[in-house]
Amino acid sequence: MTTTTVTTTETFLDRIGIPHPLRWGFLGVLVFMTGNGVESNFLSPHMTEALGGNQLVLVAQIIAMYSLAVLIASYLSGALADLWGPRRVMTLGFVAWVVFEIAFLVSLSMASVPLMFVSYFLRGFGFPLFAFAFLVWINQVAPKKRAGTAVGWFYVMFTGGLPTLGSLFAVFVIPAFGGGYHGETWTMIASIGLVLIGWAIARFCVKEAHGARRLADPADSTAKVLSAGIVLTARNPRILMGFLIRLINTAPEFGMFIVLPAIVADSLGWGQSRWLIMTVVIFAGNIAFNAVFGAIGDRMGWVRTVRWFGIVGSSIGLLLWWYVPHWVPAGSDWGFVVATIAGTVFGIMLAGFVPMGAIMPALVPQHKGAAMAMYTTAAGGATFLGSAVVALALPLWGPVGVVWTFVALYACAFVMIGFLKVDQHRDDATAAPAFAEAGAR
């Protein structure tokens, strides 16, 4: 009898936290999310112009409905990835994005409010199914000692596309198409090509075995797999708190994308191009620190990193991003630089939440799939919470009330994070990797 010893050689990418077999998938997410992010910082004024008047509240409601679809799809991305495998779910997200983006563009050309609501809502299923199914894939492959770093690299790619490179793409392409409303429309059409390229990279270049197979226990019914995350959250208060913290995490980012474009471009006199440049710089800072805070969390402690850098740091950064642009002279060059630096503090500190992607599955290592379903739900749900806060708070208290509502939510997250204690150095390789027995206490 002979014994075969299998040795695994770590590559450079493995050592920096990117699982080598998934390397092309990270690039696919970057390109896909760049296409998804092209419209992120001009969509609300673009829709307002399509509707022919001061319709910001109506636009916020349409975006809130889109964000509700993002929330639903974010949950389904984890559950369906466990049922069908991440690769198939990513393709489903790609198809939904392209089909309903075209329908949404048609609705804008017709200025049809009902069609805008329906088409943009359904397009909201696109990017979460694609991106967060890949995040589930990452958690299946990445070793626990580098889980926080791997999640950080995912968010480098995610935020690198939405909004950073997406906004940078818009800066150059809108003028190339003639600028104004017409240029914005053709830029949105061009974004479909980026989404197609991103999907093709992930679909055809990643061969890792987990992507094509069911991750859930074969004995579990479809209903059990689909409901496991909800059942786990109902029975485990720590998962519920982790869900709420991640929900709050990036909600201000998406809320500010609705509130700030017109304020920075028009009220403060810096114009659309500078608003887009501001966004690129702010979230370039976020990109630069996503992997850094993942690594810091792996060494300093995931919970401690989220509490002080993510929650406290983001609160301070959000206030700076709002108040500093109003304190400097409107339209001034040096004021724009200072305002952008202030906003970049928010972008950098936002990366302090990265370890939440490692905390959630570590809270219940025997139910990682269910925990990740709730994590991805919260990650997508942040879009809904951000737009919902704007839709509710803007008519009551104006933009400054929106900002302070987000700060109050961060204060709630600060309290909750103290209850999330995990042993991040224990190896859970023998734990059930998916939804098995997720309904048990």
Side-chain angles (χ1 to χ4, degrees):
M1 181 178 178
T2 60
T3 302
T4 301
T5 301
V6 178
T7 59
T8 302
T9 302
E10 285 193 332
T11 67
F12 169 75
L13 291 176
D14 289 314
R15 289 192 292 272
I16 66 171
I18 297 176
H20 189 265
L22 300 181
R23 61 195 183 281
W24 289 107
F26 283 87
L27 178 61
V29 169
L30 174 64
V31 178
F32 186 103
M33 294 308 297
T34 297
N36 185 75
V38 164
E39 69 190 32
S40 60
N41 283 293
F42 65 79
L43 182 62
S44 60
H46 184 85
M47 292 173 66
T48 300
E49 185 172 348
L51 294 171
N54 185 16
Q55 300 284 351
L56 184 58
V57 173
L58 176 59
V59 167
Q61 292 168 350
I62 293 172
I63 295 175
M65 289 302 297
Y66 161 86
S67 304
L68 177 61
V70 170
L71 185 152
I72 296 168
S74 299
Y75 179 82
L76 291 175
S77 66
L80 293 178
D82 268 22
L83 279 175
W84 300 338
R87 182 179 288 129
R88 186 181 299 180
V89 179
M90 292 170 75
T91 296
L92 179 62
F94 159 72
V95 172
W97 199 99
V98 171
V99 169
F100 294 110
E101 173 70 359
I102 293 171
F104 178 59
L105 289 169
V106 171
S107 74
L108 285 170
S109 69
M110 297 169 58
S112 170
V113 172
L115 187 55
M116 283 184 196
F117 267 104
V118 173
S119 59
Y120 203 51
F121 173 81
L122 292 173
R123 209 210 77 179
F125 283 85
F127 90 79
L129 292 175
F130 180 88
F132 295 136
F134 185 70
L135 181 58
V136 172
W137 201 347
I138 291 170
N139 268 276
Q140 288 293 320
V141 176
K144 187 174 182 183
K145 65 181 179 180
R146 294 184 181 134
T149 309
V151 172
W153 279 113
F154 168 80
Y155 280 108
V156 167
M157 305 304 165
F158 187 97
T159 309
L162 172 67
T164 314
L165 291 180
S167 294
L168 188 61
F169 182 86
V171 167
F172 292 103
V173 176
I174 291 174
F177 280 120
Y181 184 86
H182 178 81
E184 292 168 358
T185 298
W186 278 101
T187 299
M188 292 169 70
I189 294 171
S191 70
I192 297 173
L194 291 172
V195 167
L196 171 62
I197 294 169
W199 167 78
I201 292 171
R203 174 62 183 83
F204 297 110
C205 298
V206 183
K207 308 297 184 183
E208 204 280 328
H210 287 87
R213 70 187 189 211
R214 177 186 172 109
L215 304 178
D217 190 323
D220 288 346
S221 67
T222 298
K224 183 175 182 180
V225 175
L226 291 176
S227 63
I230 297 171
V231 171
L232 179 64
T233 304
R235 293 182 174 179
N236 190 321
R238 295 199 305 164
I239 291 296
L240 175 60
M241 285 187 282
F243 169 82
L244 293 174
I245 292 168
R246 181 59 187 90
L247 189 68
I248 293 167
N249 172 189
T250 48
E253 171 188 342
F254 295 105
M256 291 299 98
F257 288 166
I258 301 172
V259 170
L260 280 181
I263 291 176
V264 171
D266 300 328
S267 301
L268 299 179
W270 284 311
Q272 183 190 65
S273 293
R274 282 196 168 182
W275 159 245
L276 293 172
I277 291 169
M278 175 185 283
T279 305
V280 170
V281 173
I282 289 172
F283 289 95
N286 180 262
I287 294 168
F289 280 84
N290 270 319
V292 170
F293 277 118
I296 289 173
D298 286 340
R299 291 165 175 77
M300 175 178 152
W302 295 335
V303 170
R304 186 181 302 170
T305 300
V306 172
R307 176 187 287 123
W308 296 110
F309 292 106
I311 299 172
V312 174
S314 294
S315 300
I316 295 170
L318 179 62
L319 291 172
L320 290 174
W321 193 17
W322 172 256
Y323 281 106
V324 170
H326 289 85
W327 290 340
V328 298
S332 66
D333 291 341
W334 72 266
F336 174 75
V337 172
V338 172
T340 302
I341 292 171
T344 304
V345 175
F346 173 71
I348 291 173
M349 291 298 104
L350 207 59
F353 280 95
V354 159
M356 285 303 303
I359 290 172
M360 288 285 282
L363 288 171
V364 282
Q366 70 277 29
H367 311 309
K368 286 183 178 179
M372 282 308 298
M374 297 314 298
Y375 175 83
T376 57
T377 304
T383 310
F384 173 71
L385 179 60
S387 56
V389 167
V390 174
L392 295 173
L394 186 63
L396 296 175
W397 307 304
V400 70
V402 171
V403 172
W404 280 100
T405 301
F406 286 128
V407 172
L409 289 174
Y410 277 138
C412 295
F414 184 88
V415 174
M416 289 186 287
I417 193 67
F419 294 94
L420 305 188
K421 306 296 183 184
V422 295
D423 183 358
Q424 69 185 73
H425 302 294
R426 183 167 63 87
D427 184 5
D428 297 311
T430 60
F435 281 94
E437 300 178 5
R441 290 184 183 273

